[in-house]
Amino acid sequence: MEPLNESLFDAQALEFPAALASALAPAALPGHFDELRGQATPAVPARPAAGAAPLAPMPPMLYDAAAQPPGPSQAQSQTQTQTQTQVLQPAPGDTPPLTPAWNAFFEQLGPGGFNDLPRRAVSLERQIRDNGVTYNVYADADGPQRPWSLDLFPLIVSPESWAQIETGVLQRTRVLDRVMADVYGPQQLLAEGLLPAALVHGHPGYLRAMHGVKPPGDTWLHIAAFDLARGPDGNWWVVSQRTQAPSGLGYLLENRLAITRQFPQAFEALQVQRLAATYSAMMDGLQRMCPAGVPPHIALLTPGPYNETYFEHAYLARYLGLTLVEGSDLTVRDQRLYLKTLQGLRPVHGLIKRLDDQFLDPLELRPDSTLGVPGLLQAIRAGNVLVANMPGSAFLESPALLGFLPGLARRLIGEKLKLPALPTWWCGERAALEAVLPQLGDCAIKPTYPGSDGQTSFDAVLGSKLSRRELDEWAGRIVREGEAHTVQSYLPLSQMPTWANDMGPGHIAPRAMLLRVFAVSDGPQSWRVLPGGLARLAGRDAQIASMQRGGSSADVWVQTHGEVDRTTLLQPHATPASLARHRAPVTSRAAENMFWLGRYTERAENAVRLARLTLNLLGSEDQSSRPLLDWLHRMALRNALVPAEAPSAPQSRRVFERALIAELGDVARGGSVGFSLRCIRQAAAAVRERLSQDTWNQIVRAEADFLRRAAEQAGEGSFATGAALRALESASTALAAMTGAQTDRMTRDDAWRLLSIGRHIERLGFLASALEAGFENGAVHEVSGFEAMVALFDSTITFHARYQQRRDVATLVDLLVLDAENPRSLAWVTQTLRGRIARLAGSAPGKLTALSYELPDPAAWTLEHLCAAGAEADYPALVQLLASCETAAYHVSDAIGTRYFTLTSESLRSVGA
């Protein structure tokens, strides 16, 4: 529990913001480095447990001088480094000054100073929420997404500290890349005993299928992440490394944009390095190393919208101009990777994967994977696609490898590591096992094969949190299964200032921090370190900084003494030809989701309109009309607004009404308003990179608001008619906003055309069905039924303005079937569909395709023919037309799916190969 300061606003006597921050911000906990003041808080000397043996030195294979703290503290013993490091401190009673960087930060808060921090914190929270930044601990298709947690204050890294980090990270990246090259090549390191075979061949992340592969540019690692901790001595230590699919490159961009908006003056004054140049260099390097293609086509492979970091995948793809794809979007033909688009198969030359290796190829890896691409490894082995990172890097993430890297660095690059890692013992070696067992209480126990399947997989455990009995149990497990366990020294994490609102008035509170930095390739065998990173903050009472354990994040500002690089991703000299070649393709998966986004939007509108009309009519004076009630019941059944076993409206009007209201918010029943709103959100989530943030927010809020209203009423025992109508009215308004965004704020590409086609297919089927049912049971021949039909077509105002008091079949057919200017008439919908389908197939303007001719031609419809009554006054021509419209709508829907989504028709071809 950190000490709490009083509210910042109780210290008005201090005029200067930096002095106010120094006086009010608590120091870091004892034994931790204080980022705000640039020094450690004095540690309370730990009394050794009775009979405890001193920490034994590491065995020669695992121990290296690089594991000792650099600088003056090198002479300290390992025990002192881990638990009792002492740094010179001011005399008791002195207030340590802030570092120059933090002093400048607080002095540049702007005119509002500290008084403005609460407003900025609220503004930041709103910005994160409005931008839809999310991180899901456990992906839940039905649950709400968890907002990304971002602190108001950034972590400030001095140029001197960054120089140590940058040099050390670049060096370690080179070593890891060469380790992969050897392991999947000559395997000299294994032959010489510098790397135990159990950490390679015994690791489930080692892919034998990749042995002998030569990656493009002889580069195995294109993106590597390192988790760093600052010790009490002020030096940085490597805690872990991530190479499979490291996350954070997108989140740190969002963090940077959000925080610089809150502190623009401080950002400029502190000479903070920008990020765009590194991202640009990474993309240039990948394009140069791609095996073919001018320009090469690079995609970002995501597990999909239910992955906890999907927001980042979509964000990064949009920022870098990449095609966001899932495994089902890709296919391998003749050892080459292709993207399935509306125009056929398009070659893919590079792939940035955010998918763990085991799921990449169900033919050679996990056969149950539905996330990967069958044949992908064969395309990689053939040298036809660059993958960043190359599959097979998972064994590099083992914490056990940290202890061997100093020796590997000397062997591979002839250098001594400049950035140390925490002392680490792999218990698969007898000497390491015997040395570390007595010290488990002061260390962290980690799985050697993190994330692997099997009984030995577990979360990292802090020995200090275990009882004596638990320590003994862990010691027994380690002795029995030494290879599966790695022990790492515990390091008190440095603490940075954060703005806390969780305990009353806003105040500054220290939080433990772990820094993730990234090295990215900018060419063959060349890397650069992103001048920033992702700071992960531990919870208030936690000792481990983890987003999955309720932690938070902070932006990272790296200062420079030189000129700030203001490179952007803008390309002002692009030619029209290059713009045409780079036009973003529409994948078959994205096209299908856009199609269903349109259908479910229209379906939700139809359900809301039908439900509102039904509830209003059931409570009106027209409730005695049996044909009307029968028509309402038919329409409710056809559109799944009531269960089949519910009594009909003519049988029991009140029971029917209660059944309809009860089903409105049931997300498990297809056809309900709640179900359609959820399907809208799910379809939109799958194409989020194509939707504006405002559109996404509208969709999320519409679903959440309607389901909240339904849940509140259900909790009270019933969903009253008045409350149901208010919920439906609110949903109608939200759906109108969605429709407006789809109509006026989206580019008219093939994806939008499919969305529009989906809407109009749904509209054509629904309206034709409604009109057909009205003629079948005769409801249209009564005033109440006639008015209900016009209202369902949303044409009441137009009808009365045009035809005054006339209510006959001719006027109804003229407006609802033949009017080419009414967007809800069957003629307008059909003609629009024919044109959109033709444009989708690439036909010239005015030229229709074979699929367009599957729909009836409104030009052949006449009022006289449709209004000709039969022997029983049943208007057979009109009824036949209505049935054919409904049948054609769903036939065309199936044909579109076959042709554009599954690519099983003649459109299966390669383009641009």
Side-chain angles (χ1 to χ4, degrees), residues 865-888:
H865 177 65
L866 296 178
C867 291
E872 300 179 2
D874 55 0
Y875 302 95
L878 176 60
V879 172
Q880 182 180 0
L881 173 64
L882 296 176
S884 66
C885 283
E886 184 179 6
T887 301

Side-chain angles (χ1 to χ4, degrees), residues 122-191:
V122 173
S123 173
L124 176 63
E125 184 178 353
R126 182 185 304 113
Q127 182 179 347
I128 294 296
R129 183 177 64 251
D130 291 347
N131 287 354
V133 189
T134 57
Y135 177 88
N136 300 330
V137 178
Y138 298 104
D140 182 1
D142 297 327
Q145 295 180 312
R146 173 187 172 190
W148 178 248
S149 183
L150 175 62
D151 193 75
L152 184 62
F153 293 152
L155 171 68
I156 303 175
V157 182
S158 68
E160 293 75 21
S161 285
W162 186 251
Q164 178 201 3
I165 293 172
E166 185 175 33
T167 302
V169 164
L170 285 174
Q171 186 188 46
R172 284 179 172 269
T173 304
R174 289 167 51 209
V175 174
L176 293 177
D177 184 82
R178 290 303 86 196
V179 168
M180 276 197 74
D182 180 82
V183 164
Y184 290 107
Q187 298 191 344
Q188 288 296 318
L189 299 177
L190 297 175

Side-chain angles (χ1 to χ4, degrees), residues 180-392:
M180 276 197 74
D182 180 82
V183 164
Y184 290 107
Q187 298 191 344
Q188 288 296 318
L189 299 177
L190 297 175
E192 297 173 13
L194 293 174
L195 191 57
L199 295 184
V200 180
H201 296 154
H203 197 292
Y206 172 73
L207 304 183
R208 288 166 176 79
M210 293 297 294
H211 190 267
V213 172
K214 299 293 183 183
D218 192 28
T219 302
W220 289 83
L221 296 180
H222 301 275
I223 304 172
F226 297 85
D227 291 326
L228 309 179
R230 198 203 286 260
D233 59 356
N235 292 304
W236 292 94
W237 298 72
V238 176
V239 177
S240 61
Q241 53 207 19
R242 295 288 179 264
T243 54
Q244 259 198 112
S247 61
L249 280 175
Y251 285 120
L252 69 86
L253 273 174
E254 179 64 29
N255 287 0
R256 173 59 57 87
L257 294 174
I259 298 303
T260 53
R261 183 176 296 179
Q262 300 300 325
F263 303 107
Q265 293 177 239
F267 184 76
E268 289 292 335
L270 289 174
Q271 288 285 97
V272 180
Q273 275 290 22
R274 274 46 168 189
L275 306 173
T278 303
Y279 285 94
S280 180
M282 179 184 73
M283 291 305 303
D284 289 343
L286 291 176
Q287 290 174 352
R288 289 198 305 271
M289 286 186 283
C290 279
V294 182
H297 179 204
I298 302 177
L300 191 151
L301 177 62
T302 173
Y306 300 142
N307 182 264
E308 67 267 18
T309 58
Y310 179 74
F311 165 83
E312 176 177 72
H313 307 167
Y315 185 94
L316 201 57
R318 182 180 294 177
Y319 179 77
L320 298 176
L322 303 174
T323 307
L324 185 66
V325 300
E326 296 181 26
S328 58
D329 293 326
L330 303 171
T331 186
V332 174
R333 298 284 189 275
D334 297 326
Q335 299 184 357
R336 296 183 181 276
L337 185 65
Y338 292 94
L339 176 67
K340 294 184 284 188
T341 75
L342 291 182
Q343 287 72 38
L345 301 180
R346 176 175 175 179
V348 175
H349 310 102
L351 201 63
I352 299 177
K353 67 178 180 68
R354 294 302 305 271
L355 190 64
D356 285 349
D357 294 341
Q358 293 291 336
F359 298 92
L360 284 176
D361 188 343
L363 292 183
E364 301 191 48
L365 301 174
R366 284 188 58 157
D368 61 339
S369 172
T370 59
L371 304 177
V373 187
L376 178 60
L377 290 190
Q378 184 61 36
I380 295 173
R381 284 194 295 266
N384 293 327
V385 61
L386 176 148
V387 178
N389 289 328
M390 288 290 284

